[in-house]
Every structure is written in C-alpha cells, then in structure tokens.
Amino acid sequence: MSLEAAANYPIRPQVALAAQLTKARLTVSTCFSCRKCSGGCPLTFAMDILPHHVIRLALLGQEEQVLGSETIWVCSACQTCTTRCPNGIDIAGVMDWLKEEAVKRGGTIPDAGVAAFHRFFLGSIRTSGGRLSETILLRRFTLYKMRRQINLQELKENLILGWKLFKRRRMRLIGPSALRGKAQIREIFRKGDF
Amino acid sequence: MKVTYYPGCSLEGTAVDYAASIAGVASQLDVELVELFDWNCCGASSAHSLNHHLALHLPARNLALAEQAGRDVVAPCALCFNRLKVAEKALLGPEGTELGIAYGGGLKIWDLLDYLTQDTFLKALPTKVVVSLMNLRPVCYYGCLVARPPAVTDKADYENPENMERLLEVLGTQPIDWSFKTDCCGAGLAVARPDIIDTLVHRLYEQALAAGAECFVVSCQMCQANLDLSQERISRKFGQDYYLPVFYFTELIALALGHPDTPKWLAQHVVDPMPLLKMKGIV
C-alpha cells in the first residue's frame, strides 16, 4: 500500500500482532516515533512505507499493511536501525519476523523475486547436504526470473558476468559435496518446516 | 598461533581469491588456521529472512563443532561472523534452553580483520614489510555486519571502526578518511534486486572518489563481489568510467610482505588492480 493510500486507511487498532512480536522477543511497544530508524536507513528510496511506519503500524496491529508492504523485502538487514534505536527495538529483527509471517500466511508478496531468492538459497543448502552452491543458486534464480519475464539484455549481462567469473575460477561448476553430518542438516531443515 | 577457521561457502566459490590470500597471509604471520571439521552454511540473509529456526540452528551446529575443537573461531566472512554471534547470543541467552543445544560459550568468535589487527600482529608487521604501498590512496570499507548491531558483534567502535586504517598505516599507506565506511552496499539483494544495488554502490563510488580515493580495501567478500562485479554495469548506467579496484585487506598485507602469489589472486578480480599498482610503482 502506498503512503497516500495508507493516510486514508481507517485505523482500527488491534493488539494481536504486537503481542505476537513481544512473544518472539521483538517488543515494539517502546517506540516513541523518533524516526531515527528511518533517518539512518539507506534503503528508504526503494521502500513503500518507512521503517518507523512499519513499527507504528505493527504496534497498532495493522497486519495487512505491514505484511503486505514492499519495505520488509527491500530491507537489506544492514542493522543500522536496530543499532541506533534509542529504545532497543530490534527493527531489522521485526522486518525478518514479518517476512516469515507473510510467507506463512500465503498472501501476495509484492517483491516475490526477493522471497524466491531466499527460498532457492535455503533449498540449495538442503539439497547439497549442508553447504551452499552459489552456482546452483544463481542458475536456479536466473531460470526463475526468465520464466516470469524474459529480459534478454539482463540474461546476456548475467551470462557475460558468469563467464568472466568462470574464467577467473570464481565460479565452480561442481557443487560442494554433502557433509558427514548431512543427516543433522536434514533434521534441522525438517524441524524448521522447510 | 592456532585457531579454528570457519571459511564459509563463498570462500569456496566466488571468493576463492580471498581464501587464497588468507592462507598466504596466515603462513606469513605464523598463524595456523585449522578448518572447522564438517562446517555447514550459516544460512546467511536467507535463513534469517525466511526461517528463524534455520537462522539459529544452522550456525549453532557450527558452534557446537567449534566447541568440540576447543579453540577460538575466526570467520573471514562478515555474514558468517554475524550469524555465529547471533547464535552465540541466543544459545547463551533466555532462548538458549528452548533451542535445546548445549553450548558452554567459552570460545571467542573473531572476524578475521579484528583477529589480524591485534597488537601482536601490528607490532610485528613493520619489520616484515618489503614492498612499499606508500603511494596508494585507498578508502577502507567495512560494510555492515562485522560492526552491527553491537549487541550481537560486541564491538565498541561500531559507528567508526578504525582497525583497517591502523593496519594500512602500519603497512605504509595513507588511507583516506570518509563517512561511508560502514554504509550498506546491499550485497544481500545483489541478485534479486540489482536496481537497488546500482543506487547504493554508485553512491559509494562517488563518495570514495569525492574523498580522493583510488581504490577500496574491504574485509568482506560480499562487499568485494558487489563493488567489483557491478562496476562495469554501474559505469554504463550512470555514464561514467569508474576505475576503482577493490582489494581485500589480506591481499594488501601479502603484497606488502612480498608474497609471490599476490598477482595471481589479484588477477581473479573483475576490476583489474594491476594498472593502478603499476602506476603507483608497487608492482
């Protein structure tokens, strides 16, 4: 939702979301809207609502707005907001919790590409038995992107870059071998429901 | 000195040059890096973005392995370091019992830059320098996650770290002060949202040039890849002809200490540092 649309949105405060966050050790109720998080955030140019909006709207229980925002996916987890919050709110941690919750609820994710990247990343660790294969990840993500929207220019650039890395031996063709503890890894993924 | 070494996945992939330079410097400084047996991926940004369970349990397994090895842990990757620290705090904090992993917490988790800029190394370095880097004009770029958040990293100088500058001064260079040393380059979004990277990294190029720098020195392979691999694309997009090589701090130590393999590692960069080093009379 855009900020303009949000301005006309009837706010009916709900306590459920803030309570869930508190339970996850991510209390937001100490926010006094100083906006320091938004002031220091390097990614506001790409966000639909600002970090302090996310916190305030979460506190007011406006689930649809925060869970559906692009902001939570654009956040790069640089931790500047969490570092500088005078009230000790882990704002970047809240962004993470909201992303996980948004996926769990299964609604539309405005930045589906970012979510897909994370999914492929974790999937690659699981498949290869404990370590990430960057090559497999990049290949899978490129295919995903091209299936959604073919962009020949971008594909060409990616292939050229891949070739440059390959020539410099910075791109492995063979993925990492599975760990001795691959069963432990499988168990971690199973318990994490992934 | 002997420490447990947790390289992380990209040091086996896009950052093999970093890995090689670390091995080179370790031998020059008599540090024995013992690779953590059977280490796994820490889950990086993707785990903490999508799955809190994986975000703690993946690094926690590494901590448990490190505890068995019984030595302090050194991580060259900012993200690995940060995730190990997050897991450490969780295991030793109120969440620890819920996680069901026993961890004593006697180990110190280091990021590589902090480890190699301990006083003992800084004092020993000047006598070992054989190549003068005097003419090089770099900015030090630390990125986000070795510094922030201090509640996780246990760093005192998280807004303005200076140990890379101290190291480079010991090696004979004059690093340039600038205000963007811990600003985010957005590396975690580099693949999914290159448009965002263009804005963030372009700003870093411009600020480095405005400060009078000719190159970056980094301690994180995500930063290196992002600043190095995107340079041609960003140059094209903004109609500029940027030439800003991106060195690992370990490559500059090795270069100053005369490691014969340094040119080989530098040849793996996309932005070729050789023209700059030749112009400065360093190689």
Side-chain angles (χ1 to χ4, degrees):
Chain A
M1 179 181 293
S2 75
L3 204 53
E4 235 164 71
N8 300 317
Y9 192 83
I11 298 264
R12 289 185 211 90
Q14 303 285 332
V15 293
L17 186 58
Q20 272 179 294
L21 284 164
T22 300
K23 209 174 145 203
R25 298 189 177 82
L26 292 163
T27 301
V28 289
S29 56
T30 50
C31 172
F32 52 34
S33 282
C34 71
R35 308 183 185 193
K36 206 172 175 181
C37 49
S38 298
C41 176
L43 285 135
T44 49
F45 69 91
M47 291 176 168
D48 51 358
I49 54 176
L50 296 174
H52 76 277
H53 297 142
V54 172
I55 299 302
R56 177 59 40 169
L57 290 167
L59 182 55
L60 292 168
Q62 305 306 293
E63 304 189 357
E64 205 180 303
Q65 287 191 59
V66 286
L67 292 169
S69 74
E70 193 169 359
T71 296
I72 57 176
W73 297 100
V74 162
C75 165
S76 69
C78 78
Q79 307 291 334
T80 306
C81 52
T82 294
T83 297
R84 292 182 184 166
C85 176
N87 293 333
I89 300 173
D90 180 4
I91 300 144
V94 171
M95 301 279 189
D96 280 341
W97 189 92
L98 292 169
K99 283 191 281 263
E100 188 168 349
E101 186 66 17
V103 171
K104 261 189 218 158
R105 294 194 186 184
T108 316
I109 290 169
D111 212 325
V114 177
F117 174 81
H118 293 321
R119 213 167 48 241
F120 291 145
F121 190 106
L122 295 174
S124 160
I125 304 171
R126 191 188 47 202
T127 319
S128 61
R131 289 184 193 171
L132 173 77
S133 163
E134 294 169 329
T135 315
I136 293 173
L137 169 64
L138 293 176
R139 200 168 52 213
R140 284 194 64 186
F141 187 76
T142 306
L143 283 173
Y144 159 85
K145 232 175 148 176
M146 290 303 140
R147 264 202 304 270
R148 288 179 78 215
Q149 191 181 15
I150 297 224
N151 179 338
L152 288 177
Q153 180 59 28
E154 197 183 312
L155 182 65
K156 196 177 121 195
E157 279 174 27
N158 286 348
L159 289 174
I160 292 172
L161 186 60
W163 171 243
K164 278 185 184 169
L165 290 174
F166 177 70
K167 259 196 333 199
R168 289 168 174 79
R169 283 174 290 114
R170 286 174 71 176
M171 186 70 87
R172 288 167 38 140
L173 287 186
I174 304 159
S177 39
L179 303 181
R180 286 265 195 100
K182 64 177 182 224
Q184 293 167 350
I185 301 292
R186 207 163 36 229
E187 186 61 10
I188 290 172
F189 274 89
R190 196 189 61 76
K191 282 199 175 145
D193 258 334
F194 189 94
Chain B
M1 255 188 278
K2 210 170 171 178
V3 281
T4 292
Y5 177 57
Y6 173 53
C9 303
S10 48
L11 272 81
E12 293 188 329
T14 46
V16 282
D17 44 355
Y18 190 24
S21 72
I22 292 166
V25 166
S27 72
Q28 285 176 315
L29 298 177
D30 294 319
V31 177
E32 195 184 334
L33 301 172
V34 185
E35 187 165 327
L36 179 65
F37 172 74
D38 210 41
W39 60 266
N40 59 271
C41 175
C42 73
S45 299
S46 297
H48 73 67
S49 293
L50 285 193
N51 194 305
H52 184 68
H53 179 88
L54 295 180
L56 291 180
H57 282 264
L58 287 173
R61 178 177 176 271
N62 291 315
L63 281 184
L65 291 171
E67 193 169 40
Q68 282 168 30
R71 277 181 292 267
D72 287 354
V73 184
V74 175
C77 162
L79 215 53
C80 294
F81 165 75
N82 197 285
R83 295 316 302 171
L84 284 180
K85 289 293 286 182
V86 167
E88 178 198 40
K89 299 286 174 196
L91 289 172
L92 299 175
E95 206 174 352
T97 40
E98 294 164 30
L99 289 169
I101 298 168
Y103 177 66
L107 307 178
K108 184 170 164 67
I109 301 160
W110 296 84
D111 74 272
L112 183 68
L113 176 65
D114 259 11
Y115 186 79
L116 291 179
T117 51
Q118 294 177 82
D119 281 347
T120 41
F121 293 119
L122 291 187
K123 279 188 189 129
L125 274 172
T127 57
K128 297 182 183 223
V129 172
V130 293
V131 176
S132 170
L133 306 181
M134 197 173 66
N135 295 329
L136 207 59
R137 308 271 295 153
V139 280
C140 296
Y141 181 58
Y142 296 80
C144 307
L145 294 173
V146 289
R148 286 189 300 264
V152 166
T153 62
D154 293 317
K155 298 286 175 81
D157 49 0
Y158 51 88
E159 289 282 8
N160 184 25
E162 289 183 305
N163 49 351
M164 207 187 314
E165 277 90 349
R166 277 199 293 277
L167 169 74
L168 293 186
E169 278 162 20
V170 166
L171 297 176
T173 63
Q174 297 291 317
I176 299 171
D177 198 22
W178 69 321
S179 305
F180 289 77
K181 55 167 94 168
T182 59
D183 268 45
C184 183
C185 74
L189 294 164
V191 176
R193 290 291 305 268
D195 56 314
I196 289 180
I197 298 321
D198 290 348
T199 306
L200 292 174
V201 176
H202 175 246
R203 183 159 61 198
L204 294 174
Y205 293 161
E206 283 296 320
Q207 291 298 330
L209 289 171
E214 299 160 330
C215 57
F216 292 97
V217 186
V218 300
S219 61
C220 163
Q221 84 292 350
M222 300 287 290
C223 298
Q224 204 282 341
N226 209 16
L227 297 179
D228 186 34
L229 272 48
S230 321
Q231 211 163 115
E232 199 185 311
R233 187 186 74 229
I234 293 173
S235 288
R236 211 175 328 124
K237 182 165 171 180
F238 290 90
Q240 300 284 331
D241 194 11
Y242 292 116
Y243 175 61
L244 288 159
V246 190
F247 295 98
Y248 289 111
F249 76 103
T250 43
E251 290 172 335
L252 289 189
I253 300 176
L255 193 62
L257 270 50
H259 198 293
D261 291 343
T262 318
K264 212 168 74 187
W265 312 326
L266 296 177
Q268 288 179 278
H269 293 205
V270 171
V271 179
D272 182 8
M274 279 307 177
L276 175 68
L277 294 177
K278 278 182 189 143
M279 192 177 80
K280 297 286 164 177
I282 293 167
V283 292

